[in-house]
Amino acid sequence: MLRWIGAAIGFFTFERGAVLAGFIAGYILELMIKGIRIIAAEPWWKKRPPVEKPWEEHPSIEWHIFTLAVAVIKQCVFRTQSVRCIQQFFNEKFGYAGDKFLAEHLGGGNEEERLDVIRRLAKREIPLEPSCNKLRESMDEEERFQVLHFLFSVARATGPILDSDLDFLKKITLLAGMTTDTFYTLLREFCKGREGPYSDSNNRRNTRDDNRSTGQAYYNGSASAAYALLGIHPTATDEEVKKAYRLAAKNYHPDKFNHKGEAAIADAAKKFIAINDAYEKIKQDRGL
């Protein structure tokens, strides 16, 4: 627009070449204004976080790892050290993409400002199942161990890890498809010399007892047991198998047992894992 205004002014001056000079001057002015707008615009690393979607609607694995980290911080204590731990993990695992992800969802402020964003995010209910299922689907056992190691690091960064915090981390471990051996391996690394229910002296006994009932009490690995656990006959159609799995997983999801105490939650988590293992066995046998 400015270039044409300049050309019009040049035309009315009746000077030779004034139209061209006015056009060029207006064009240069447009470029200068555009440049100022670009410079003034906030870069991506300083933008404020967008309005959040529901936790489970994000498709990226980065988001689901981040979700679990926020859940752990919410369970433990809000401290800037936990933000530093998140930043380090995302930078090491995802590089530039990890830094950009955190900038998009936590903003480009300092650690205290990012912690304020996490506090706001944590006010919402955080379902664990979608994110744990994403880990199971997208990562092998070694990668999931790395994520769990990171979550333990986040918990430790918030201060002393309480027994209730360990109960929470154990629940995530089981939902992510890992064994209690994995949980107690991490426990020995992060809570060495601990007293109480999760003391060193109890670790070996707890591992043995939990492994005996983690999945084996409900599912022994055979095809017939897999069908029995889902409550269907081996002649069931593929669609009937999927429907039975969804119903069983819904009925025994640990979050449905929160009001019944830790023992009920732990038992539901074991059966939930067995149900998933049984479904995977059937899918493998049927080539689904």
Side-chain angles (χ1 to χ4, degrees), residues 115-224:
L115 185 62
D116 288 339
V117 178
I118 290 177
R119 286 193 181 97
R120 176 165 54 83
L121 291 172
K123 290 180 180 180
R124 304 155 59 196
E125 184 178 355
I126 306 176
L128 298 178
E129 181 187 7
S131 295
C132 289
N133 286 344
K134 187 68 175 181
L135 296 188
R136 291 169 65 105
E137 295 169 0
S138 306
M139 293 183 155
D140 58 29
E141 190 169 315
E142 181 179 351
E143 290 176 313
R144 279 179 281 160
F145 181 85
Q146 293 174 356
V147 172
L148 292 171
H149 190 280
F150 157 64
L151 295 178
F152 267 81
S153 299
V154 170
R156 186 171 63 179
T158 65
I161 304 179
L162 306 178
D163 286 347
S164 58
D165 303 334
L166 289 173
D167 290 338
F168 190 77
L169 289 166
K170 185 177 181 181
K171 179 180 178 180
I172 292 176
T173 303
L174 296 177
L175 287 176
M178 303 295 280
T179 66
T180 50
D181 278 332
T182 300
F183 170 77
Y184 285 110
T185 296
L186 292 167
L187 176 64
R188 285 189 287 272
E189 177 180 348
F190 286 90
C191 303
K192 190 174 182 180
R194 186 183 185 86
E195 300 295 332
Y198 288 107
S199 65
D200 291 341
S201 60
N202 287 331
N203 283 347
R204 187 180 300 274
R205 176 173 56 80
N206 287 338
T207 301
R208 183 181 65 248
D209 293 345
D210 284 350
N211 282 343
R212 187 173 61 235
S213 56
T214 295
Q216 291 90 330
Y218 297 107
Y219 172 56
N220 60 14
S222 67
S224 59

Side-chain angles (χ1 to χ4, degrees), residues 270-282:
K270 294 166 188 175
K271 189 159 188 177
F272 182 79
I273 290 172
I275 289 169
N276 279 279
D277 290 342
Y279 182 53
E280 290 298 323
K281 170 65 175 174
I282 295 175

